[in-house]
Short mmCIF file of all heavy atoms in Angstrom, two decimals:
data_model
loop_
_atom_site.label_atom_id
_atom_site.label_comp_id
_atom_site.label_asym_id
_atom_site.label_seq_id
_atom_site.Cartn_x
_atom_site.Cartn_y
_atom_site.Cartn_z
N ARG B 58 -23.28 17.58 -53.79
CA ARG B 58 -22.56 18.65 -53.10
C ARG B 58 -23.25 20.00 -53.28
O ARG B 58 -23.25 20.84 -52.37
CB ARG B 58 -21.14 18.83 -53.65
CG ARG B 58 -20.37 17.58 -53.87
CD ARG B 58 -19.13 17.81 -54.75
NE ARG B 58 -18.27 18.87 -54.28
CZ ARG B 58 -17.35 18.75 -53.32
NH1 ARG B 58 -17.19 17.59 -52.72
NH2 ARG B 58 -16.61 19.76 -52.96
N VAL B 76 -22.35 42.82 -49.99
CA VAL B 76 -22.39 44.27 -49.76
C VAL B 76 -23.82 44.75 -49.94
O VAL B 76 -24.42 44.52 -50.99
CB VAL B 76 -21.45 45.02 -50.73
CG1 VAL B 76 -21.58 46.53 -50.52
CG2 VAL B 76 -20.01 44.57 -50.51
N MET B 161 -12.17 29.59 -61.38
CA MET B 161 -13.33 30.38 -60.96
C MET B 161 -13.85 31.25 -62.10
O MET B 161 -15.05 31.40 -62.30
CB MET B 161 -12.96 31.27 -59.76
CG MET B 161 -12.77 30.51 -58.47
SD MET B 161 -14.22 29.50 -57.99
CE MET B 161 -13.68 27.87 -58.47
N GLY B 210 -4.63 23.63 -60.49
CA GLY B 210 -5.19 23.20 -61.78
C GLY B 210 -5.06 21.70 -62.00
O GLY B 210 -5.27 21.21 -63.11
N ARG B 238 -6.86 2.05 -30.93
CA ARG B 238 -6.51 3.06 -29.92
C ARG B 238 -5.19 2.75 -29.24
O ARG B 238 -4.49 3.66 -28.79
CB ARG B 238 -7.61 3.15 -28.87
CG ARG B 238 -8.97 3.46 -29.47
CD ARG B 238 -10.07 3.30 -28.45
NE ARG B 238 -10.20 4.47 -27.62
CZ ARG B 238 -10.97 5.51 -27.93
NH1 ARG B 238 -11.68 5.49 -29.03
NH2 ARG B 238 -11.03 6.55 -27.15
N GLN B 252 -12.97 17.62 -42.12
CA GLN B 252 -13.77 17.92 -40.92
C GLN B 252 -14.53 16.69 -40.43
O GLN B 252 -14.74 16.53 -39.23
CB GLN B 252 -14.73 19.09 -41.17
CG GLN B 252 -15.78 18.84 -42.23
CD GLN B 252 -16.86 19.94 -42.22
OE1 GLN B 252 -17.39 20.29 -41.16
NE2 GLN B 252 -17.14 20.49 -43.38
N THR B 264 -7.46 12.58 -32.23
CA THR B 264 -7.35 13.59 -33.28
C THR B 264 -6.31 13.15 -34.29
O THR B 264 -5.33 12.50 -33.92
CB THR B 264 -6.98 14.98 -32.70
OG1 THR B 264 -6.81 15.92 -33.78
CG2 THR B 264 -5.68 14.94 -31.92
N TYR B 272 -9.32 22.28 -44.83
CA TYR B 272 -9.71 20.98 -44.28
C TYR B 272 -11.21 20.80 -44.06
O TYR B 272 -11.68 19.67 -43.90
CB TYR B 272 -8.88 20.66 -43.03
CG TYR B 272 -9.60 20.77 -41.72
CD1 TYR B 272 -9.87 19.65 -40.95
CD2 TYR B 272 -10.02 22.01 -41.26
CE1 TYR B 272 -10.56 19.76 -39.76
CE2 TYR B 272 -10.69 22.13 -40.07
CZ TYR B 272 -10.96 21.00 -39.32
OH TYR B 272 -11.63 21.12 -38.15
N THR B 283 -1.34 15.60 -53.06
CA THR B 283 -0.64 16.89 -53.22
C THR B 283 0.50 17.11 -52.23
O THR B 283 1.14 18.13 -52.28
CB THR B 283 -1.60 18.09 -53.00
OG1 THR B 283 -2.41 17.82 -51.87
CG2 THR B 283 -2.43 18.38 -54.18
N ARG B 284 0.73 16.15 -51.31
CA ARG B 284 1.71 16.36 -50.23
C ARG B 284 1.27 17.55 -49.37
O ARG B 284 1.99 18.55 -49.23
CB ARG B 284 3.11 16.66 -50.76
CG ARG B 284 3.76 15.55 -51.52
CD ARG B 284 5.19 15.90 -51.87
NE ARG B 284 6.12 15.48 -50.83
CZ ARG B 284 6.59 14.25 -50.71
NH1 ARG B 284 6.25 13.29 -51.55
NH2 ARG B 284 7.42 13.95 -49.74
N TRP B 327 8.52 4.02 -52.12
CA TRP B 327 7.48 4.36 -53.11
C TRP B 327 6.33 5.14 -52.49
O TRP B 327 5.56 5.78 -53.20
CB TRP B 327 7.01 3.10 -53.84
CG TRP B 327 8.12 2.33 -54.47
CD1 TRP B 327 8.45 1.02 -54.24
CD2 TRP B 327 9.11 2.82 -55.40
NE1 TRP B 327 9.57 0.67 -54.98
CE2 TRP B 327 9.99 1.75 -55.69
CE3 TRP B 327 9.35 4.05 -56.01
CZ2 TRP B 327 11.08 1.87 -56.57
CZ3 TRP B 327 10.43 4.17 -56.87
CH2 TRP B 327 11.28 3.11 -57.15
N LYS B 347 -1.73 7.90 -38.62
CA LYS B 347 -1.56 8.03 -37.18
C LYS B 347 -2.69 8.86 -36.57
O LYS B 347 -3.16 9.81 -37.21
CB LYS B 347 -0.24 8.74 -36.85
CG LYS B 347 0.99 7.98 -37.29
CD LYS B 347 2.22 8.76 -36.86
CE LYS B 347 3.45 8.23 -37.58
NZ LYS B 347 4.65 9.03 -37.27
N PHE B 401 -15.62 43.26 -36.93
CA PHE B 401 -17.06 43.51 -37.00
C PHE B 401 -17.50 44.31 -35.79
O PHE B 401 -17.07 44.09 -34.68
CB PHE B 401 -17.86 42.21 -37.13
CG PHE B 401 -17.68 41.21 -36.02
CD1 PHE B 401 -18.35 41.34 -34.80
CD2 PHE B 401 -16.85 40.11 -36.20
CE1 PHE B 401 -18.20 40.40 -33.81
CE2 PHE B 401 -16.70 39.17 -35.21
CZ PHE B 401 -17.37 39.31 -34.00
N TRP B 405 -15.67 42.56 -32.31
CA TRP B 405 -14.74 41.73 -33.08
C TRP B 405 -13.44 42.46 -33.30
O TRP B 405 -13.40 43.56 -33.83
CB TRP B 405 -15.42 41.36 -34.41
CG TRP B 405 -14.54 40.89 -35.52
CD1 TRP B 405 -14.27 41.56 -36.68
CD2 TRP B 405 -13.84 39.66 -35.61
NE1 TRP B 405 -13.46 40.81 -37.49
CE2 TRP B 405 -13.17 39.64 -36.85
CE3 TRP B 405 -13.70 38.57 -34.76
CZ2 TRP B 405 -12.38 38.57 -37.27
CZ3 TRP B 405 -12.91 37.51 -35.18
CH2 TRP B 405 -12.27 37.51 -36.43
N GLY B 406 -12.38 41.89 -32.91
CA GLY B 406 -11.09 42.55 -32.98
C GLY B 406 -10.43 42.42 -34.32
O GLY B 406 -9.23 42.62 -34.43
N ALA B 440 -1.49 20.84 -19.49
CA ALA B 440 -1.61 22.21 -19.00
C ALA B 440 -0.25 22.82 -18.63
O ALA B 440 0.12 23.92 -19.07
CB ALA B 440 -2.55 22.25 -17.79
N TRP B 500 16.02 29.75 -44.43
CA TRP B 500 15.89 30.90 -43.52
C TRP B 500 16.66 32.13 -44.01
O TRP B 500 16.16 33.25 -43.96
CB TRP B 500 16.38 30.52 -42.11
CG TRP B 500 15.36 29.77 -41.34
CD1 TRP B 500 15.42 28.46 -40.93
CD2 TRP B 500 14.10 30.26 -40.86
NE1 TRP B 500 14.29 28.12 -40.25
CE2 TRP B 500 13.47 29.19 -40.18
CE3 TRP B 500 13.45 31.49 -40.94
CZ2 TRP B 500 12.21 29.34 -39.58
CZ3 TRP B 500 12.20 31.63 -40.35
CH2 TRP B 500 11.60 30.56 -39.68
N ALA B 505 14.84 38.39 -47.90
CA ALA B 505 15.14 38.88 -49.25
C ALA B 505 14.07 38.43 -50.23
O ALA B 505 13.65 39.21 -51.11
CB ALA B 505 16.51 38.37 -49.69
N VAL B 514 6.20 42.32 -57.85
CA VAL B 514 4.76 42.44 -58.11
C VAL B 514 4.40 43.91 -58.34
O VAL B 514 3.66 44.26 -59.27
CB VAL B 514 3.93 41.84 -56.95
CG1 VAL B 514 2.47 42.27 -57.03
CG2 VAL B 514 4.05 40.31 -56.95
N GLU B 564 1.69 36.68 -61.61
CA GLU B 564 2.04 35.59 -60.69
C GLU B 564 3.24 34.80 -61.22
O GLU B 564 4.11 34.38 -60.44
CB GLU B 564 0.84 34.65 -60.47
CG GLU B 564 1.13 33.62 -59.38
CD GLU B 564 -0.01 32.62 -59.14
OE1 GLU B 564 -1.18 33.01 -59.24
OE2 GLU B 564 0.30 31.45 -58.83
N GLU B 570 10.72 35.21 -59.64
CA GLU B 570 11.47 35.92 -58.62
C GLU B 570 11.73 35.00 -57.41
O GLU B 570 12.83 34.98 -56.84
CB GLU B 570 10.66 37.16 -58.19
CG GLU B 570 11.44 38.21 -57.44
CD GLU B 570 12.47 38.91 -58.33
OE1 GLU B 570 12.18 39.19 -59.50
OE2 GLU B 570 13.58 39.17 -57.81
#
Side-chain angles (χ1 to χ4, degrees):
Chain B
R58 316 165 53 82
V76 176
M161 289 304 102
R238 304 170 82 88
Q252 63 169 312
T264 177
Y272 106 112
T283 44
R284 296 186 90 82
W327 305 123
K347 296 182 194 175
F401 59 80
W405 162 248
W500 280 113
V514 166
E564 188 182 324
E570 197 68 40

